[in-house]
Amino acid sequence: MLLTLNISNFAVFEKQTIEFDSGFNVFTGETGSGKSVLIEALSLILGERASKDLIRKGKNSALLEAIFDVSGNSDFSIFLQNNNIEINSEDYLIISRELYENGKSISKINGRTVPLGIIKEAGSYLIDIYGQFGHESLFKKENHIILLDSLIQKDLTPVLGEYYTLYVEYNSITKEIESLQGKLSNKDLKIEQLQFEINEIDEAGLNEFEEEELLKQIKKLSNIQEIQNSLIEINGILSDNNLNSVYNLLNKIKGYDDSLAGFLSKLDILLEELQYFNYDLRDYSEKLDFDGEKLDVIEKRMSFINRLKRKYGFSIEKIMEYKESADKELDILLKAESNLNLMIKEKVNLNKKLEELSHIISAKRKNAAKVLESKLLSELDDLNMKNIEFKVLINKKANYSYDGTDDVEFLISTNIGSDLNSVQKVVSGGEASRIMLAFKKIVSDIESTQTMVFDEIDTGISGKTAQMAGIKMSYISANHQIICVTHSPQIASISKNHFLIEKKVIDNNTCSTVNKLDEENKIYEIARLLSGMKITEKSLSNAKDLIDSSRAITI
């Protein structure tokens, strides 16, 4: 059960604490007062994605905090244990979300930071929110199977989980079989081609740096003449050097300064080294010889490598990668038939298991459908939908799907003599709201969620029908905490706890407040809902009568 909701710097709320009670809690207020913001705050507490735009203008962050009493919620206790979240039996559960200007948020459970996914999963055990446009889910056929399954969720989840695991495996092996069968078409031709390609690459004897070395040799052999001519020119330049003249001049003046003798010694060494260098350069030049045959062999090798590159990859590395891939594919093809037979046998076994589980799932749904058909008519009769026919049509799909082989559709007839037709083609928005409320009433007898939130469930209904909707929620509140946002005086009059949301402007600062109403103020608020802004003695009397009559009906 939700005990407390603390809101700070969130949209129209500056700082607000709401203390909830068990039973039927109602929130009313003028349009734009902040009722939808309250539901938004609860949604974020339950792990929905947050927007930084919800942070109050001029503030750096917003904080939402909810305190729950989870005693007696055994399913949730198991969830906490599985996620290593400790809570003493005498403690309350506290979930918080802090939103920041950069769009990020921090989620905590009892002060421990947890991923948003954990918050979302925790929320599914704590609060069920039926949104303002929740009835529209009825207009989408794909939601009908989800609604039906929610009636038998505990019983269905284990077998549906087992089925889904097999379904994923079945799909995977089906794709593998199709891929292998595709490879087996023209198998012998493919094997022959792969063997040829592998042999061609193997026989090429490629190595990673060969291409670089071949290019160097081609460059040298193609430019032998230029190398020789340049070396002859260098040799001539060195032979005609003027260092001997330098030597003679130093030798002439060495007697004038002892330091000059040192320079003369160094020059002796240079002259000797230069002479050796000239000899080596001449020897190298004389040994250079243009080998046309060698160049032709190298160019042919490069041409061969380039052909392999065009065929298998743009580098030797890519050629070798292709060869490795071809080796694997060849191995698969050589073993393909035996592997295919094993896969087909495995698929047959999976198909058998899936068929068995899909029958079990379908049987559970058909039993649930009978219960729903019977109970929904009774609930709708109370909500002033008379002479209704309702049927859950379950047909078998041609193929397996992630949730079984059942195609589920809700059919309804709202008038005597009319044929059954798809719900989305027949019912109005108001009728859809009543159908969903009736459905929630049925689910509430089964569901373990302790708190149920209804955001403007009164859409499209009024008067006696709205009063009956309130009575339904009051009935649900005997075992579940109900939080209802409404514009209906009939629904509000039945509530156990009535909260008023008001928007005020103080010093050019707009903010909303939530206050729990006492008996006198509740009458005043019901009168406003009945007659608008002008409250009269008559409207106050009507409000009191409505509250008294609602209490008499629900007692």
Side-chain angles (χ1 to χ4, degrees):
M1 183 178 80
L2 177 62
L3 299 176
T4 306
L5 178 63
N6 294 312
I7 305 174
S8 296
N9 301 324
F10 184 74
V12 293
F13 292 104
E14 189 169 40
K15 191 171 183 63
Q16 182 69 56
T17 296
I18 306 171
E19 302 286 348
F20 292 90
D21 202 346
S22 60
F24 192 5
N25 300 271
V26 157
F27 287 80
T28 62
E30 295 179 25
T31 300
S33 61
K35 300 188 297 297
S36 60
V37 175
L38 182 67
I39 300 300
E40 183 81 18
L42 285 173
S43 297
L44 295 183
I45 287 289
L46 301 181
E48 292 301 319
R49 292 289 175 183
S51 168
K52 63 180 181 180
D53 296 334
L54 292 168
I55 299 173
R56 191 167 172 80
K57 186 178 179 180
K59 302 297 181 180
N60 298 322
S61 63
L63 177 64
L64 304 170
E65 182 183 74
I67 303 173
F68 296 89
D69 180 356
V70 294
S71 57
N73 193 334
S74 56
D75 290 340
F76 188 64
S77 296
I78 294 170
F79 164 79
L80 293 176
Q81 290 174 12
N82 291 339
N83 287 279
N84 298 315
I85 299 173
E86 294 183 2
I87 177 173
N88 295 325
S89 57
E90 65 271 15
D91 288 342
Y92 294 124
L93 180 86
I94 302 173
I95 297 179
S96 66
R97 290 282 303 277
E98 190 159 11
L99 318 180
Y100 296 97
E101 281 184 312
N102 61 6
K104 297 185 180 297
S105 67
I106 294 178
S107 309
K108 294 181 180 180
I109 295 181
N110 280 20
R112 173 189 160 191
T113 302
V114 295
L116 190 59
I118 296 293
I119 292 281
K120 196 175 183 73
E121 192 175 352
S124 66
Y125 290 91
L126 301 171
I127 299 181
D128 175 24
I129 296 182
Y130 178 78
Q132 188 172 347
F133 303 102
H135 66 277
E136 292 182 359
S137 64
L138 198 62
F139 296 142
K140 295 180 180 179
K141 184 188 169 211
E142 59 267 27
N143 290 330
H144 295 178
I145 192 169
I146 299 171
L147 291 169
L148 181 64
D149 286 356
S150 67
L151 292 172
I152 49 173
Q153 189 171 357
K154 275 190 177 180
D155 188 34
L156 187 63
T157 297
V159 64
L160 199 56
E162 184 182 355
Y163 168 90
Y164 181 74
T165 301
L166 292 174
Y167 170 74
V168 172
E169 192 176 346
Y170 180 84
N171 273 352
S172 176
I173 202 167
T174 298
K175 288 177 182 177
E176 287 182 37
I177 288 172
E178 289 173 354
S179 174
L180 207 52
Q181 287 173 332
K183 289 177 180 178
L184 279 171
S185 62
N186 301 318
K187 182 189 76 167
D188 293 337
L189 185 62
K190 286 182 180 178
I191 288 175
E192 184 180 348
Q193 180 185 350
L194 286 168
Q195 286 175 331
F196 171 81
E197 291 173 344
I198 291 167
N199 289 337
E200 183 177 38
I201 295 171
D202 281 340
E203 290 171 3
L206 301 171
N207 68 72
E208 186 178 352
F209 303 106
E210 178 182 6
E211 193 174 9
E212 183 182 347
E213 185 58 35
L214 290 173
L215 286 171
K216 287 180 181 178
Q217 291 185 50
I218 290 173
K219 188 175 181 180
K220 177 181 176 181
L221 290 170
S222 299
N223 295 280
I224 285 288
Q225 190 63 51
E226 184 179 351
I227 294 171
Q228 285 179 323
N229 291 337
S230 295
L231 290 175
I232 290 170
E233 185 177 351
I234 292 168
N235 190 259
I237 293 170
L238 292 174
S239 297
D240 295 338
N241 73 83
N242 293 317
L243 288 180
N244 286 326
S245 298
V246 174
Y247 183 86
N248 292 331
L249 286 171
L250 280 173
N251 192 45
K252 180 180 176 181
I253 61 175
K254 69 178 181 178
Y256 305 132
D257 185 349
D258 293 342
S259 298
L260 294 175
F263 290 111
L264 195 62
S265 297
K266 290 180 180 179
L267 188 56
D268 278 332
I269 295 171
L270 284 174
L271 287 170
E272 187 178 359
E273 285 293 328
L274 188 61
Q275 189 175 21
Y276 286 136
F277 175 75
N278 206 6
Y279 292 155
D280 290 342
L281 207 59
R282 190 183 300 118
D283 288 343
Y284 177 77
S285 176
E286 289 173 354
K287 291 176 183 177
L288 283 174
D289 185 26
F290 175 72
D291 189 338
E293 289 184 4
K294 184 177 181 181
L295 179 61
D296 185 55
V297 169
I298 293 172
E299 287 180 337
K300 284 180 179 179
R301 177 65 175 175
M302 277 300 300
S303 177
F304 174 66
I305 291 173
N306 285 330
R307 183 173 67 81
L308 291 180
K309 283 163 65 177
R310 288 192 297 272
K311 193 173 180 181
Y312 303 117
F314 55 81
S315 67
I316 289 177
E317 183 183 4
K318 291 296 179 184
I319 293 172
M320 300 314 293
E321 286 178 6
Y322 180 88
K323 191 255 182 187
E324 185 179 351
S325 175
D327 280 332
K328 290 178 181 177
E329 189 172 355
L330 178 61
D331 185 61
I332 289 172
L333 287 173
L334 293 173
K335 299 175 181 176
E337 288 187 5
S338 59
N339 287 340
L340 181 62
N341 290 331
L342 290 173
M343 286 183 187
I344 290 172
K345 287 180 181 178
E346 179 62 20
K347 183 179 177 180
V348 169
N349 290 333
L350 287 170
N351 184 74
K352 184 179 178 182
K353 292 176 183 177
L354 281 173
E355 188 68 26
E356 291 172 357
L357 289 173
S358 66
H359 280 310
I360 294 171
I361 292 167
S362 187
K364 291 180 183 295
R365 285 179 176 147
K366 286 173 181 175
N367 289 335
K370 290 177 183 177
V371 173
L372 179 59
E373 288 169 351
S374 172
K375 289 189 174 183
L376 192 69
L377 292 178
S378 174
E379 298 295 339
L380 290 176
D381 186 71
D382 290 342
L383 292 169
N384 204 28
M385 288 183 70
K386 310 289 184 182
N387 304 311
I388 297 293
E389 285 187 70
F390 177 81
K391 182 172 179 60
V392 180
L393 182 65
I394 301 179
N395 290 319
K396 187 172 183 178
K397 296 177 184 176
N399 300 305
Y400 296 116
S401 63
Y402 72 94
D403 57 359
T405 55
D406 295 321
D407 182 68
V408 177
E409 184 175 17
F410 293 165
L411 305 179
I412 197 168
S413 168
T414 55
N415 297 302
I416 296 175
S418 298
D419 293 332
L420 287 164
N421 209 332
S422 299
V423 166
Q424 58 268 33
K425 294 179 181 178
V426 176
V427 301
S428 65
E431 288 171 328
S433 291
R434 280 180 276 176
I435 291 171
M436 287 304 296
L437 177 57
F439 186 86
K440 288 291 183 181
K441 159 66 170 55
I442 295 168
V443 171
S444 71
D445 295 332
I446 306 164
E447 223 173 45
S448 61
T449 305
Q450 295 183 337
T451 300
M452 302 178 75
V453 177
F454 294 95
D455 184 16
E456 298 193 18
I457 189 71
D458 49 279
T459 301
I461 61 175
S462 59
K464 183 182 177 182
T465 303
Q467 188 177 46
M468 289 308 301
I471 291 170
K472 289 291 179 190
M473 283 186 275
S474 180
Y475 175 87
I476 297 172
S477 71
N479 297 308
H480 300 264
Q481 181 188 42
I482 299 297
I483 298 171
C484 177
V485 173
T486 184
H487 288 286
S488 167
Q490 288 82 12
I491 292 176
S493 67
I494 297 173
S495 67
K496 175 185 175 185
N497 308 294
H498 192 148
F499 297 86
L500 176 62
I501 303 179
E502 294 179 288
K503 183 183 287 186
K504 298 178 180 179
V505 179
I506 303 173
D507 297 330
N508 293 321
N509 184 35
T510 302
C511 65
S512 292
T513 59
V514 181
N515 292 295
K516 187 175 181 180
L517 301 181
D518 57 20
E519 185 70 15
E520 182 180 350
N521 284 313
K522 176 172 182 171
I523 293 171
Y524 193 88
E525 174 62 6
I526 297 296
R528 184 192 69 79
L529 293 171
L530 283 168
S531 59
M533 294 304 296
K534 189 176 181 180
I535 309 298
T536 64
E537 288 297 328
K538 185 176 180 179
S539 62
L540 288 169
S541 177
N542 289 339
K544 189 174 185 308
D545 290 342
L546 180 58
I547 293 170
D548 291 341
S549 63
S550 296
R551 285 174 178 166
I553 293 171
T554 55
I555 289 175

